[in-house]
């Protein structure tokens, strides 16, 4: 079997995004800093970098949109097949390892998706940041 590496765009990004709105919204609050378990990592409650990132997520719209964009791109990449096999005759098979790339058009589609769902996404992020802050304050004041 021979192995080849190929670069591809993700097909039908709009359909994938709009058919998985609920799933995408669900991953937002468990990604990166928002998925932090402060109760088991109590040091985060007083970690300046951690608290600054939480603050930035709710006060810096560009940063928040970049954060959401990265989540969506990572989710899209994980949801795609990583390899493809093609039979070339009876005894020959080619394995293609797929490396996905995002085109400028893909980026526009992702930004449009975010724009449409921004108020919900922002509210979810805001609520999670407030929840994390509440846990932090409780830990600090114990």
């Amino acid at each position: 079997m021979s192995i080849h590496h190929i670069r591809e765009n993700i097909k039908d990004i709009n359909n994938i995004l709009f058919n998985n709105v609920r799933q995408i919204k669900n991953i937002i609050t468990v990604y990166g800093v928002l998925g932090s378990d402060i109760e088991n990592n109590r040091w985060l409650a007083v970690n300046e970098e951690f608290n600054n990132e939480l603050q930035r997520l709710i006060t810096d719209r560009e940063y928040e949109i970049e954060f959401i964009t990265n989540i969506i791109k990572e989710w899209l990449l994980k949801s795609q097949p990583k390899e493809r096999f093609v039979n070339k005759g009876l005894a020959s098979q080619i394995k293609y390892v797929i490396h996905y790339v995002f085109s400028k058009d893909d980026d526009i589609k992702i930004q449009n998706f975010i724009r449409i769902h921004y108020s919900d996404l922002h509210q979810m992020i805001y609520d999670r940041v407030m929840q994390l802050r509440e846990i932090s304050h409780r830990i600090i004041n114990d």
Side-chain angles (χ1 to χ4, degrees), residues 80-137:
Q80 298 301 302
K82 307 294 182 257
E83 52 193 31
R84 181 181 321 135
F85 294 92
V86 176
N87 289 320
K88 294 285 191 183
L90 294 174
S92 178
Q93 188 178 54
I94 300 174
K95 175 182 175 182
Y96 291 96
V97 177
I98 305 169
H99 302 277
Y100 292 99
V101 293
F102 291 98
S103 68
K104 195 165 202 75
D105 186 53
D106 295 337
D107 288 337
I108 291 169
K109 290 174 183 176
I110 292 168
Q111 293 307 310
N112 285 338
F113 175 84
I114 292 170
R115 202 169 294 115
I116 290 167
H117 295 282
Y118 179 76
S119 63
D120 289 342
L121 296 170
H122 173 74
Q123 189 62 50
M124 293 174 76
I125 289 171
Y126 180 85
D127 291 346
R128 179 63 177 151
V129 168
M130 292 300 113
Q131 180 185 36
L132 291 170
R133 282 183 169 173
E134 184 179 313
I135 295 167
S136 290
H137 289 302

XYZ file of all heavy atoms in Angstrom, residues 80-137:
501
model
N -14.191 15.750 10.090
C -13.923 15.271 8.736
C -13.096 13.988 8.752
O -12.314 13.757 9.670
C -13.157 16.346 7.947
C -13.901 17.636 7.771
C -15.221 17.440 7.058
O -15.255 16.936 5.940
N -16.307 17.823 7.710
N -13.259 13.151 7.711
C -12.422 11.945 7.633
C -10.945 12.325 7.510
O -10.609 13.332 6.890
C -12.906 11.232 6.372
C -13.858 12.143 5.696
C -14.161 13.293 6.601
N -10.092 11.540 8.141
C -8.654 11.848 8.143
C -7.900 11.153 7.008
O -6.781 11.512 6.684
C -8.021 11.419 9.472
C -8.721 11.965 10.696
C -8.599 13.464 10.791
C -9.260 14.007 12.025
N -10.532 14.625 11.845
N -8.538 10.121 6.454
C -7.874 9.404 5.369
C -8.908 8.781 4.448
O -10.075 8.659 4.798
C -6.929 8.343 5.924
C -7.561 7.406 6.914
C -6.555 6.568 7.674
O -5.434 7.037 7.902
O -6.917 5.440 8.025
N -8.437 8.435 3.265
C -9.279 7.822 2.248
C -8.461 6.718 1.595
O -7.272 6.873 1.342
C -9.671 8.874 1.227
C -10.549 8.400 0.127
C -10.907 9.498 -0.885
N -11.148 10.786 -0.250
C -10.646 11.940 -0.698
N -9.875 11.975 -1.742
N -10.897 13.069 -0.076
N -9.104 5.594 1.319
C -8.432 4.483 0.656
C -9.030 4.314 -0.730
O -10.242 4.378 -0.920
C -8.615 3.178 1.449
C -7.929 3.208 2.780
C -8.610 3.627 3.917
C -6.600 2.831 2.898
C -7.981 3.670 5.148
C -5.958 2.867 4.120
C -6.652 3.291 5.248
N -8.163 4.097 -1.704
C -8.593 3.877 -3.077
C -7.930 2.598 -3.566
O -6.703 2.442 -3.470
C -8.189 5.066 -3.991
C -8.564 4.788 -5.431
C -8.827 6.352 -3.503
N -8.745 1.665 -4.064
C -8.207 0.422 -4.617
C -7.759 0.649 -6.042
O -8.486 1.211 -6.849
C -9.262 -0.695 -4.570
C -9.522 -1.157 -3.165
O -8.602 -1.276 -2.372
N -10.786 -1.400 -2.851
N -6.561 0.211 -6.343
C -5.981 0.299 -7.693
C -5.653 -1.120 -8.139
O -4.512 -1.563 -8.055
C -4.700 1.148 -7.694
C -4.918 2.593 -7.379
C -5.528 3.282 -8.558
C -5.518 4.768 -8.358
N -6.147 5.469 -9.419
N -6.646 -1.829 -8.547
C -6.424 -3.211 -8.950
C -6.591 -4.137 -7.764
O -6.939 -3.731 -6.661
N -6.341 -5.408 -7.977
C -6.572 -6.417 -6.953
C -5.608 -6.337 -5.784
O -5.985 -6.536 -4.639
C -6.497 -7.813 -7.586
C -7.599 -8.120 -8.603
C -7.339 -9.459 -9.276
C -8.955 -8.111 -7.930
N -4.364 -6.068 -6.074
C -3.350 -6.130 -5.010
C -2.825 -4.770 -4.585
O -1.928 -4.689 -3.765
C -2.190 -6.995 -5.472
N -3.370 -3.716 -5.129
C -2.819 -2.394 -4.855
C -3.871 -1.475 -4.238
O -4.992 -1.388 -4.717
C -2.300 -1.789 -6.160
O -1.818 -0.502 -5.938
N -3.489 -0.841 -3.180
C -4.375 0.118 -2.516
C -3.562 1.359 -2.178
O -2.420 1.259 -1.735
C -4.965 -0.496 -1.249
C -6.035 0.353 -0.621
C -6.639 -0.295 0.606
O -5.909 -0.657 1.510
N -7.947 -0.426 0.627
N -4.167 2.509 -2.388
C -3.500 3.771 -2.068
C -4.226 4.386 -0.879
O -5.448 4.472 -0.837
C -3.533 4.752 -3.256
C -2.823 4.148 -4.468
C -2.908 6.080 -2.865
C -2.948 4.987 -5.721
N -3.445 4.809 0.097
C -4.002 5.500 1.258
C -3.679 6.984 1.099
O -2.529 7.365 0.922
C -3.368 4.970 2.547
C -3.798 5.718 3.786
C -3.095 5.171 5.016
C -3.418 5.977 6.242
N -2.695 5.461 7.426
N -4.714 7.809 1.158
C -4.551 9.248 1.095
C -4.769 9.813 2.492
O -5.840 9.644 3.073
C -5.553 9.887 0.128
C -5.299 9.554 -1.313
C -5.967 8.508 -1.943
C -4.383 10.301 -2.044
C -5.736 8.204 -3.268
C -4.146 10.004 -3.380
C -4.821 8.953 -3.986
O -4.568 8.661 -5.296
N -3.770 10.459 3.032
C -3.908 11.164 4.303
C -4.319 12.586 3.948
O -3.637 13.274 3.193
C -2.586 11.141 5.102
C -2.728 11.941 6.385
C -2.156 9.709 5.392
N -5.445 13.004 4.498
C -6.037 14.280 4.095
C -5.664 15.374 5.090
O -5.838 15.224 6.290
C -7.574 14.165 4.011
C -7.961 13.016 3.074
C -8.190 15.484 3.556
C -9.435 12.642 3.132
N -5.156 16.462 4.560
C -4.853 17.663 5.344
C -5.797 18.750 4.836
O -5.676 19.188 3.695
C -3.396 18.087 5.155
C -2.418 17.033 5.527
N -2.016 16.808 6.817
C -1.777 16.105 4.770
C -1.162 15.815 6.857
N -1.002 15.356 5.624
N -6.750 19.134 5.675
C -7.747 20.110 5.247
C -7.208 21.527 5.389
O -6.462 21.828 6.309
C -9.032 19.961 6.059
C -9.737 18.661 5.762
C -9.594 17.565 6.605
C -10.519 18.525 4.626
C -10.223 16.362 6.314
C -11.143 17.333 4.330
C -10.995 16.248 5.181
O -11.616 15.062 4.892
N -7.599 22.357 4.453
C -7.228 23.768 4.477
C -8.504 24.597 4.356
O -9.498 24.146 3.800
C -6.250 24.127 3.339
C -4.909 23.446 3.533
C -6.817 23.769 1.970
N -8.451 25.791 4.914
C -9.592 26.692 4.832
C -9.273 27.778 3.812
O -8.250 28.450 3.907
C -9.882 27.325 6.194
C -10.397 26.341 7.201
C -9.540 25.768 8.121
C -11.732 25.968 7.208
C -10.006 24.850 9.044
C -12.206 25.060 8.123
C -11.344 24.490 9.044
N -10.166 27.938 2.855
C -10.004 28.989 1.844
C -10.581 30.294 2.384
O -11.257 30.322 3.417
C -10.737 28.587 0.558
O -12.142 28.591 0.791
N -10.332 31.360 1.676
C -10.902 32.659 2.049
C -12.433 32.573 2.037
O -13.105 33.127 2.907
C -10.395 33.738 1.084
C -10.621 35.132 1.558
C -9.764 36.085 0.740
C -9.511 37.377 1.414
N -8.578 37.404 2.493
N -12.987 31.842 1.072
C -14.434 31.648 0.998
C -14.949 30.886 2.230
O -16.010 31.215 2.770
C -14.794 30.883 -0.286
C -16.284 30.786 -0.502
O -16.966 31.833 -0.474
O -16.777 29.653 -0.684
N -14.200 29.888 2.683
C -14.569 29.149 3.898
C -14.589 30.091 5.098
O -15.501 30.028 5.931
C -13.576 28.012 4.176
C -13.596 26.937 3.113
O -14.610 26.794 2.397
O -12.570 26.228 2.987
N -13.575 30.934 5.196
C -13.505 31.893 6.307
C -14.716 32.830 6.298
O -15.279 33.140 7.352
C -12.214 32.706 6.249
C -10.986 31.886 6.614
O -11.127 30.861 7.309
O -9.887 32.273 6.196
N -15.124 33.253 5.114
C -16.299 34.125 4.987
C -17.549 33.387 5.452
O -18.377 33.948 6.180
C -16.450 34.627 3.530
C -15.312 35.611 3.204
C -17.820 35.263 3.299
C -15.201 35.975 1.735
N -17.685 32.121 5.075
C -18.853 31.328 5.492
C -18.876 31.151 7.006
O -19.938 31.238 7.634
C -18.842 29.974 4.786
C -19.136 30.087 3.307
C -18.971 28.756 2.600
C -19.211 28.930 1.110
N -18.965 27.694 0.374
N -17.728 30.914 7.596
C -17.647 30.767 9.053
C -18.002 32.086 9.731
O -18.756 32.119 10.703
C -16.245 30.261 9.476
C -16.040 28.822 8.997
C -16.058 30.365 10.985
C -14.608 28.318 9.095
N -17.487 33.201 9.210
C -17.796 34.513 9.791
C -19.287 34.835 9.654
O -19.885 35.417 10.571
C -16.943 35.602 9.153
C -15.463 35.489 9.465
C -15.176 35.390 10.941
O -15.658 36.187 11.740
N -14.398 34.391 11.326
N -19.889 34.464 8.538
C -21.327 34.680 8.362
C -22.125 33.857 9.376
O -23.102 34.343 9.950
C -21.773 34.339 6.940
C -21.368 35.393 5.939
O -21.122 36.546 6.293
N -21.272 35.002 4.680
N -21.716 32.633 9.600
C -22.358 31.778 10.593
C -22.266 32.430 11.976
O -23.257 32.501 12.700
C -21.702 30.392 10.601
C -22.225 29.488 11.674
C -23.378 28.746 11.476
C -21.564 29.369 12.885
C -23.865 27.912 12.468
C -22.039 28.539 13.884
C -23.202 27.801 13.674
N -21.080 32.913 12.312
C -20.889 33.561 13.610
C -21.758 34.809 13.706
O -22.400 35.055 14.736
C -19.397 33.893 13.842
C -18.589 32.600 14.005
C -19.224 34.806 15.059
C -17.083 32.794 13.997
N -21.801 35.593 12.646
C -22.600 36.818 12.643
C -24.079 36.502 12.902
O -24.746 37.175 13.692
C -22.438 37.531 11.295
C -22.755 38.998 11.339
C -22.335 39.735 10.068
N -20.876 39.741 9.911
C -20.215 39.129 8.913
N -20.854 38.462 7.985
N -18.904 39.182 8.851
N -24.586 35.461 12.261
C -25.991 35.080 12.427
C -26.273 34.621 13.850
O -27.310 34.939 14.423
C -26.366 33.982 11.402
C -26.397 34.594 9.994
C -27.699 33.326 11.751
C -26.445 33.588 8.876
N -25.342 33.893 14.443
C -25.560 33.298 15.763
C -24.811 34.027 16.881
O -24.764 33.536 18.010
C -25.147 31.821 15.746
C -25.997 31.003 14.834
N -27.259 30.591 15.173
C -25.777 30.558 13.574
C -27.775 29.911 14.170
N -26.903 29.882 13.185
N -24.274 35.209 16.574
C -23.411 35.886 17.538
C -24.096 36.166 18.876
O -23.498 35.942 19.930
C -22.839 37.190 16.966
C -21.979 37.887 17.979
C -20.697 37.418 18.248
C -22.450 38.981 18.707
C -19.903 38.021 19.203
C -21.657 39.590 19.661
C -20.385 39.108 19.906
O -19.610 39.696 20.864
N -25.314 36.645 18.862
C -25.941 37.010 20.142
C -26.069 35.791 21.054
O -25.781 35.887 22.253
C -27.291 37.687 19.933
O -28.193 36.805 19.312
N -26.446 34.644 20.510
C -26.521 33.417 21.321
C -25.140 32.973 21.786
O -24.953 32.603 22.949
C -27.161 32.273 20.535
C -28.639 32.465 20.306
O -29.262 33.280 21.016
O -29.184 31.791 19.406
N -24.175 32.982 20.861
C -22.816 32.548 21.204
C -22.211 33.464 22.266
O -21.610 32.990 23.236
C -21.936 32.516 19.953
C -22.341 31.501 18.877
C -21.554 31.746 17.595
C -22.144 30.080 19.369
N -22.372 34.766 22.074
C -21.843 35.726 23.045
C -22.475 35.512 24.417
O -21.779 35.520 25.436
C -22.072 37.159 22.577
C -21.708 38.172 23.613
N -20.399 38.465 23.922
C -22.494 38.922 24.437
C -20.391 39.369 24.899
N -21.635 39.657 25.220
N -23.790 35.322 24.445
C -24.479 35.129 25.720
C -23.984 33.862 26.418
O -23.792 33.860 27.639
C -26.002 35.066 25.523
C -26.762 35.077 26.836
C -26.529 36.364 27.620
O -26.661 37.458 27.084
N -26.187 36.228 28.896
N -23.757 32.816 25.657
C -23.248 31.568 26.243
C -21.856 31.771 26.830
O -21.549 31.288 27.921
C -23.233 30.467 25.193
C -24.616 30.052 24.736
S -24.554 28.887 23.382
C -24.113 27.416 24.294
N -21.018 32.490 26.102
C -19.665 32.769 26.586
C -19.739 33.657 27.826
O -19.077 33.387 28.833
C -18.813 33.418 25.477
C -18.486 32.371 24.407
C -17.536 34.039 26.050
C -17.843 32.923 23.152
N -20.551 34.693 27.771
C -20.701 35.600 28.916
C -21.173 34.835 30.156
O -20.612 34.987 31.244
C -21.675 36.727 28.559
C -21.869 37.699 29.684
C -20.989 38.754 29.857
C -22.926 37.556 30.581
C -21.152 39.655 30.905
C -23.089 38.444 31.631
C -22.202 39.486 31.790
O -22.359 40.365 32.830
N -22.195 34.008 29.982
C -22.727 33.232 31.106
C -21.669 32.301 31.696
O -21.555 32.180 32.913
C -23.950 32.421 30.679
C -25.158 33.290 30.371
O -25.152 34.488 30.722
O -26.113 32.752 29.749
N -20.886 31.674 30.836
C -19.853 30.758 31.326
C -18.747 31.522 32.057
O -18.258 31.087 33.098
C -19.273 29.934 30.176
C -18.173 28.979 30.571
C -18.656 27.911 31.536
N -17.545 26.994 31.802
C -17.388 26.333 32.921
N -18.289 26.417 33.888
N -16.348 25.554 33.086
N -18.364 32.674 31.536
C -17.346 33.494 32.210
C -17.854 33.912 33.584
O -17.122 33.836 34.580
C -16.952 34.728 31.356
C -16.140 35.721 32.168
C -16.169 34.288 30.115
N -19.101 34.326 33.670
C -19.672 34.726 34.963
C -19.706 33.534 35.930
O -19.418 33.690 37.118
C -21.082 35.301 34.796
C -21.123 36.635 34.073
S -20.193 37.927 34.922
C -18.873 38.207 33.782
N -20.022 32.369 35.419
C -20.027 31.167 36.252
C -18.619 30.861 36.768
O -18.437 30.569 37.948
C -20.558 29.988 35.435
C -20.611 28.683 36.202
C -21.040 27.526 35.313
O -20.687 27.476 34.135
N -21.813 26.612 35.876
N -17.630 30.960 35.890
C -16.246 30.713 36.305
C -15.782 31.753 37.323
O -15.079 31.421 38.282
C -15.309 30.689 35.088
C -15.482 29.499 34.146
C -14.689 29.707 32.863
C -15.071 28.203 34.831
N -16.179 32.999 37.133
C -15.818 34.057 38.087
C -16.452 33.799 39.450
O -15.820 34.003 40.483
C -16.252 35.418 37.560
C -15.350 35.969 36.512
C -15.825 37.328 36.119
N -14.832 37.992 35.300
C -15.050 39.146 34.702
N -16.203 39.776 34.862
N -14.117 39.690 33.962
N -17.698 33.365 39.438
C -18.390 33.065 40.695
C -17.668 31.938 41.445
O -17.462 32.027 42.661
C -19.831 32.663 40.389
C -20.671 32.410 41.617
C -22.090 32.032 41.239
O -22.680 32.728 40.380
O -22.601 31.048 41.792
N -17.263 30.920 40.735
C -16.519 29.811 41.354
C -15.189 30.332 41.902
O -14.795 29.993 43.023
C -16.299 28.664 40.356
C -17.638 28.031 39.959
C -15.351 27.612 40.932
C -17.557 27.107 38.756
N -14.512 31.161 41.118
C -13.238 31.736 41.558
C -13.411 32.542 42.835
O -12.615 32.418 43.767
C -12.647 32.634 40.470
O -12.211 31.890 39.376
N -14.416 33.397 42.882
C -14.645 34.219 44.078
C -14.935 33.354 45.298
O -14.484 33.648 46.389
C -15.786 35.219 43.827
C -15.417 36.310 42.880
N -14.362 37.177 43.082
C -15.959 36.664 41.683
C -14.275 38.021 42.065
N -15.224 37.725 41.205
